[in-house]
Amino acid sequence: MRLNPTETDVLLIIDVQNDFCPGGSLAVDGGDDVVPVINRLQDHFDNIVLTQDWHPTDHTSFASGHAKKKPFESVTVAYGDQTLWPDHCIQGTPGADFHPDLNRDQAQLTIRKGFRAAVDSYSAFFENDRTTPTGLTGYLRERGIDRVFLTGLATDVCVRFSAMDARNHGFDTVLILDGCRGLDEKTVNEALTAMKEAGVRVIESFAVTGLAG
Ligand code: VGL
Ligand code: ZN
């Protein structure tokens, strides 16, 4: 069935940044493949919001700041477990820039997240302490938006957390599978199961654009 987004829908484009694309410090396999898919989708939406992972150099999620810790290990911080990552998306660096081919002319808002040194933020809605809002819920509500379509990177981290929070806030939530790529096959599958259980609808971009691939 063809979906026709209206003015009460938003396309949310999560973290399509150089560091998450091939050649970047936290590269997702095929991360740049989402760019043409997302660019085609944008013609079908009145409302488009970007997120940008935006960390200070001493960010708590960087393994480099924790003695004897390596990327992908975890530590306990004030709000619980935090996975450690290679340094990535440092404010003002090329790695934090959006992929150069991503069309950004139609986006109405960029939400930057993870800018507090002591708190990571995977979700577009809430930081990892699960209590600090980014303001996105209020923005969408005030604009009368009730359905969120998700695309971007990474399926198993920031896309997953954003989709779950969208559901928890009562938005109809749709994941556009070919507009997303993940870090790891196993955690991508876990993420898809968890999202579907939470009521997230999973589609291919074809359902919106009518175009294959
Ligand atoms: C992300 C790990 C750390 C993401 C951001 O965008 O999925 N993953 N920071
Ligand atoms: Zn990050």
Side-chain angles (χ1 to χ4, degrees):
M1 197 196 65
R2 187 79 184 271
L3 289 165
N4 280 310
T6 69
E7 68 276 5
T8 59
D9 294 313
V10 67
L11 178 66
L12 191 54
I13 303 172
I14 305 289
D15 298 359
V16 181
Q17 293 168 257
N18 290 326
D19 270 342
F20 298 124
C21 290
S25 64
L26 182 44
V28 174
D29 271 352
D32 51 348
D33 293 347
V34 303
V35 172
V37 178
I38 292 171
N39 284 347
R40 283 195 294 271
L41 279 164
Q42 296 195 59
D43 292 336
H44 297 266
F45 284 86
D46 295 326
N47 304 304
I48 299 173
V49 171
L50 304 166
T51 69
Q52 188 173 27
D53 215 35
W54 194 248
H55 298 313
T57 48
D58 60 346
H59 194 250
T60 189
S61 79
F62 294 170
S64 58
H66 298 265
K68 296 186 190 138
K69 289 284 177 185
K70 293 198 212 46
F72 310 105
E73 294 180 354
S74 64
V75 288
T76 305
V77 296
Y79 50 82
D81 280 354
Q82 172 66 51
T83 302
L84 297 175
W85 307 103
D87 291 13
H88 65 279
C89 298
I90 293 175
Q91 296 168 3
T93 65
D97 283 346
F98 292 102
H99 187 286
D101 298 334
L102 180 70
N103 175 14
R104 291 188 286 132
D105 296 343
Q106 283 147 262
Q108 297 151 349
L109 175 74
T110 298
I111 291 274
R112 286 178 167 166
K113 59 185 182 62
F115 51 76
R116 292 181 179 85
V119 191
D120 204 2
S121 187
Y122 293 156
S123 163
F125 295 90
F126 276 97
E127 301 197 7
N128 286 13
D129 61 7
R130 312 310 298 143
T131 56
T132 307
T134 63
L136 183 58
T137 306
Y139 173 86
L140 296 178
R141 288 261 179 265
E142 277 205 88
R143 296 204 44 218
I145 290 165
D146 58 18
R147 187 164 61 168
V148 176
F149 287 73
L150 286 123
T151 56
L153 308 172
T155 319
D156 38 352
V157 188
C158 291
V159 175
R160 174 185 181 163
F161 274 73
S162 299
M164 298 301 258
D165 279 352
R167 279 300 301 145
N168 287 334
H169 284 270
F171 293 100
D172 283 334
T173 308
V174 184
L175 181 94
I176 306 178
L177 198 55
D178 55 329
C180 300
R181 290 290 184 283
L183 282 166
D184 172 87
E185 195 183 322
K186 180 166 168 277
T187 48
V188 166
N189 287 331
E190 287 167 6
L192 288 172
T193 302
M195 287 188 277
K196 286 178 190 164
E197 273 171 9
V200 176
R201 181 169 172 189
V202 178
I203 65 164
E204 299 283 339
S205 63
F206 175 81
V208 173
T209 63
L211 302 168

